[in-house]
Amino acid sequence: LELPIDDIDNHLTEIGFDTTVSEIIAGLTANAKYIQSKYFYDKIGSALFEKITSLNEYYPSRTEKAIISQLPPELIEDLVDIDIIELGCGDHSKISLLMRRIPAETVPGLRYFPIDISRTALEQSIEDLRDLFPALKVKGILADYVHQMHLFPEERKRLFCFFGSTIGNLSREETLDFMQNMGAIMNTGDMLFVGMDRVKNIALLEKAYNDDQLITAMFNKNILRVINGLIKSDFNPDNFEHRAFYNAAFNRIEMHLEATDNISVKSAFIPELIRIKKGETIHTENSHKFEKADILRMGQHAGLAIKNIYSDENELFSLAHYQK
Ligand code: AVJ
């Protein structure tokens, strides 16, 4: 199978700028204000997130990496002549750990398709992967993997990788829809790895989103700069404080930006001002945590078999292995 190398297919144009603008403005003018967390990841946001992943308090990344490095050899041996499709590649560190385990003679038979809505993240991933594994065929897909599953290549057996507990950003309902859609597009033999952060001690969870160096606070506030660029608005991030806490009713960390004053913001796309009262918050992220029962239910809902759940010894984090 020959693949045009060296490129990124851009499918974001199919979503359209108008949709993006009206989606953002709808969130900012709603009763309970919100910004979707996918807007965190511009160049600066992606760099800040990468910094978060190496913080002492932020256990998920290093824990998941350790789990990937220790996947059983029998599983790795099966990864021959397949397409590896990574949803939301972010930085390439996790897929690199997996690739490093694959014998060099097998690598030319693999194709790697990172899919992300961030061009920066894609370009960086592709460049780094090519440096590390010159024999690997790589092609980036610039797209929203939740809504554009029809773009996944389907000529060969596939391993879908959804690392990093990114799935935790979806609502419970969206998660089930996502799993059901994945189950529907997967063919017999296709595999799905999903990284999931687990329900645990609340103090440990809250500390992971309130680090001492305030990097998470910067990451949270940066979303206002991203929004300023997209809807031509004049948010001043200094008018907001970072809030992150565990919501036990929903098993999730919530991040908010709390206004320290009464604020009015203008956007070039709407005539009226966006008004935010002192103490009011803009909800920027939900990061759901999963019980073992959730992991099993998600497989059942998708019509997928649960081959295994790989976890660290403290069950801080799990990598679920589903298969059709
Ligand atoms: C990339 C979505 C997994 O929810 O933990 C990190 C993002 N937000 N610190 C998460 C994040 C604040 C992260 N995910």
Side-chain angles (χ1 to χ4, degrees):
L1 273 159
E2 269 320 302
L3 190 74
I5 310 228
D6 240 326
D7 55 352
I8 293 178
D9 278 353
N10 184 357
H11 293 277
L12 282 184
T13 49
E14 292 152 29
I15 296 174
F17 188 63
D18 288 356
T19 322
T20 303
V21 169
S22 44
E23 185 177 270
I24 294 169
I25 288 174
L28 290 172
T29 52
N31 257 336
K33 294 184 171 40
Y34 65 91
I35 298 170
Q36 291 184 52
S37 50
K38 65 180 175 189
Y39 295 114
F40 276 125
Y41 304 94
D42 71 335
K43 206 176 183 114
I44 295 175
S46 301
L48 284 169
F49 178 65
E50 244 181 85
K51 254 185 149 169
I52 290 174
T53 63
S54 60
L55 292 170
N56 218 3
E57 295 96 333
Y58 195 74
Y59 62 86
S61 305
R62 65 170 174 276
T63 311
E64 185 178 37
K65 285 179 198 171
I67 294 169
I68 295 170
S69 319
Q70 288 158 36
L71 286 171
E74 317 83 79
L75 179 60
I76 304 292
E77 279 159 26
D78 268 354
L79 307 180
V80 177
D81 293 332
I82 62 166
D83 288 344
I84 300 177
I85 301 173
E86 185 173 14
L87 314 181
C89 61
D91 77 275
H92 59 89
S93 57
K94 288 155 199 168
I95 204 70
S96 294
L97 281 174
L98 189 68
M99 290 301 307
R100 213 166 290 157
R101 306 256 333 257
I102 297 176
E105 62 273 20
T106 325
V107 172
L110 299 173
R111 304 193 303 181
Y112 171 59
F113 297 87
I115 306 188
D116 207 292
I117 52 164
S118 159
R119 177 177 281 277
T120 324
L122 269 187
E123 283 173 347
Q124 196 59 55
S125 257
I126 293 172
E127 198 182 309
D128 293 347
L129 257 278
R130 289 215 176 107
D131 280 353
L132 290 166
F133 309 100
L136 182 67
K137 300 180 181 70
V138 184
K139 178 174 180 161
I141 304 174
L142 191 61
D144 177 341
Y145 47 79
V146 176
H147 299 111
Q148 295 181 298
M149 288 182 179
H150 59 278
L151 296 172
F152 301 159
E154 51 180 30
E155 297 97 67
R156 305 203 294 177
K157 182 171 159 173
R158 299 168 295 180
L159 164 62
F160 295 96
C161 296
F162 197 17
F163 293 133
S165 204
T166 307
I167 197 166
N169 282 163
L170 304 178
S171 70
R172 295 284 171 187
E173 202 187 0
E174 287 167 339
T175 295
L176 290 178
D177 287 347
F178 170 81
M179 288 300 293
Q180 197 167 28
N181 294 337
M182 282 304 299
I185 63 115
M186 283 168 71
N187 301 316
T188 309
D190 284 352
M191 296 173 281
L192 169 64
F193 288 169
V194 186
M196 287 184 254
D197 198 10
R198 300 292 298 271
V199 172
K200 63 178 66 63
N201 174 282
I202 295 180
L204 200 70
L205 275 170
E206 291 192 331
K207 200 66 208 161
Y209 295 81
N210 290 283
D211 62 278
D212 289 342
Q213 291 180 62
L214 306 180
I215 309 292
T216 309
M218 285 197 265
F219 172 73
N220 196 7
K221 290 180 192 181
N222 180 64
I223 204 169
L224 296 175
R225 276 193 43 265
V226 179
I227 294 306
N228 280 342
L230 290 169
I231 66 163
K232 297 193 200 309
S233 54
D234 58 356
F235 276 103
N236 178 357
D238 294 340
N239 292 335
F240 293 85
E241 265 170 35
H242 168 68
R243 297 277 178 252
F245 55 86
Y246 192 65
N247 181 338
F250 293 97
N251 281 356
R252 71 189 185 203
I253 287 282
E254 293 187 10
M255 292 214 307
H256 295 255
L257 289 164
E258 182 179 323
T260 55
D261 243 312
N262 291 324
I263 293 161
S264 35
V265 175
K266 53 178 184 301
S267 157
F269 290 93
I270 45 166
E272 63 276 17
L273 293 170
I274 299 164
R275 289 180 196 282
I276 305 158
K277 293 197 195 78
K278 181 174 180 172
E280 191 180 345
T281 75
I282 304 175
H283 190 170
T284 51
E285 185 175 52
N286 286 320
S287 188
H288 289 89
K289 309 304 166 189
F290 299 83
E291 310 260 22
K292 187 176 177 193
D294 297 319
I295 301 176
L296 300 178
R297 197 176 309 124
M298 286 161 61
Q300 280 157 4
H301 193 79
L304 297 171
I306 297 142
K307 299 292 280 186
N308 228 318
I309 301 173
Y310 302 103
S311 310
D312 57 299
E313 59 177 357
N314 299 315
E315 298 201 326
L316 297 178
F317 199 95
S318 293
L319 187 67
H321 174 189
Y322 300 104
Q323 184 158 321
K324 183 123 165 188

